[in-house]
Amino acid sequence: MQNASFTLFEPVQRSSCVVFAAPHSGRHYLQEFLAQSVLDVHAIRASEDAFVDQLFEPAVQFGAPLLVANAPRAYVDLNRAFDELDPAVIDSVKSSGVNARIASGLGVVPRVVAIGTPIYRGKISLAEAQERIDRIWWPYHHKLTALLEQTRAQFGQAILIDCHSMPHSAVGRGPLEGTAPQIVLGDRFGAAADETLVAHIHGAFVEAGFRVARNTPFAGAFISRRYGKPQIGQHAVQIEIDRSLYMDEVRIQPSAEFDAFRQCLVSIIADIARLGQSGQELAAQ
């Protein structure tokens, strides 16, 4: 299933209560958006979780769906609330108080790309911002909500794996170089997912040879907060992967290690999907 907002990859037969999603890997840059920007077609991709959708594509082989954003994060950020509007980039929006994400230029319609470089020459209209939210943001979240509700109805629980990548510089600076985490799992410090689930995923990455941290420096944002409801059997775990493991960050191209890393990730995806193949497995651990 595909529309302007997302593409849904579905397994031939659904056998797992796990739903994989990649909200920041979209790379369909509209020409009118590029014309509005002061950035070139390369620089505007700085916020993109490039190729994360390709890394997690094997999920469907193990009975789990994969929901992938089509629109880029620089256009609309699906990991922000629909009302996180930035008055510094959207005309006729009043300041709603202190919000660190908006203040940094990373609201639902971002003002800057991840490296802090402005996207636009000036402001866009509130009508345009709202049109983006209506056309891109809401369809993605309606679909994700429906997927999780259907999953809980079928399996008794749902596990959302929110798939992201992080710049190597976010974790690999200074004294951390060589010992920094390569994978960061976020569960909002236990609020978004059951500990046994997070511990299982943590162990799967460690067993595969990766250095893993939890909640630092990324604990999960809007998606984890909105969908992580372990009290009703709905869990959300954010996975951040160091981009240097699989891509050339400067050129935004897969590196020579891409295929080997993707193959390694397949076994971890399979392990996570198996965790969700029994409606009682998580509770029994």
Side-chain angles (χ1 to χ4, degrees):
M1 176 188 295
Q2 182 172 3
N3 72 9
S5 176
F6 63 84
T7 299
L8 176 62
F9 298 92
E10 298 182 88
V12 174
Q13 181 175 356
R14 185 75 188 275
S15 61
S16 174
C17 74
V18 178
V19 173
F20 292 85
H24 283 166
S25 62
R27 50 187 173 272
H28 294 179
Y29 291 85
L30 299 174
Q31 284 302 315
E32 52 264 40
F33 173 50
L34 295 173
Q36 287 178 305
S37 179
V38 296
L39 301 176
D40 62 32
V41 294
H42 183 84
I44 204 168
R45 297 184 67 188
S47 293
E48 188 184 308
D49 286 352
F51 317 117
V52 164
D53 55 331
Q54 296 176 27
L55 292 176
F56 284 91
E57 205 170 80
V60 297
Q61 301 174 22
F62 307 106
L66 170 64
L67 182 66
V68 173
N70 290 331
R73 179 187 186 185
Y75 188 71
V76 174
D77 193 336
L78 299 170
N79 203 16
R80 298 290 183 264
F82 68 89
D83 58 355
E84 289 190 90
L85 302 173
D86 184 352
V89 75
I90 303 171
D91 201 18
S92 303
V93 170
K94 295 181 180 179
S95 177
S96 57
V98 178
N99 181 310
R101 294 174 297 278
I102 292 176
S104 65
L106 296 173
V108 64
V109 177
R111 172 167 33 98
V112 301
V113 290
I115 54 177
T117 306
I119 296 172
Y120 303 96
R121 294 178 179 84
K123 293 187 178 184
I124 66 171
S125 70
L126 178 58
E128 179 177 352
Q130 192 59 57
E131 190 275 336
R132 294 185 193 183
I133 292 166
D134 290 343
R135 182 168 52 86
I136 303 297
W137 194 97
W138 280 110
Y140 182 91
H141 284 283
H142 283 323
K143 176 52 65 175
L144 183 53
T145 297
L147 270 174
L148 293 172
E149 288 178 350
Q150 292 162 5
T151 299
R152 281 195 290 119
Q154 181 177 353
F155 296 94
Q157 65 179 353
I159 299 169
L160 171 62
I161 304 298
D162 196 38
C163 308
H164 296 260
S165 66
M166 56 188 177
H168 178 69
S169 61
V171 288
R173 292 194 182 111
L176 288 178
E177 190 68 46
T179 61
Q182 297 165 305
I183 307 293
V184 177
L185 304 179
D187 64 356
R188 296 191 64 81
F189 298 94
D194 187 276
E195 164 61 22
T196 57
L197 167 64
V198 184
H200 186 101
I201 297 172
H202 188 142
F205 277 103
V206 170
E207 188 173 339
F210 297 104
R211 298 187 300 272
V212 185
R214 293 200 209 175
N215 294 309
T216 303
F218 305 108
F222 172 78
I223 287 173
S224 298
R225 185 171 68 251
R226 180 183 178 100
Y227 297 105
K229 302 175 181 179
Q231 66 274 16
I232 65 168
Q234 183 168 292
H235 310 268
V237 180
Q238 178 178 279
I239 296 178
E240 294 273 4
I241 300 171
D242 183 343
R243 292 173 188 165
S244 69
L245 292 171
Y246 67 90
M247 67 176 280
D248 181 328
E249 293 185 73
V250 174
R251 299 171 66 192
I252 315 182
Q253 293 181 359
S255 66
E257 291 76 31
F258 183 88
D259 289 339
F261 177 77
R262 187 174 185 265
Q263 191 56 44
C264 182
L265 197 59
V266 167
S267 63
I268 298 171
I269 292 169
D271 186 280
I272 295 171
R274 281 195 298 270
L275 182 65
Q277 285 178 346
S278 167
Q280 300 178 347
E281 186 172 345
L282 182 60
Q285 286 193 3

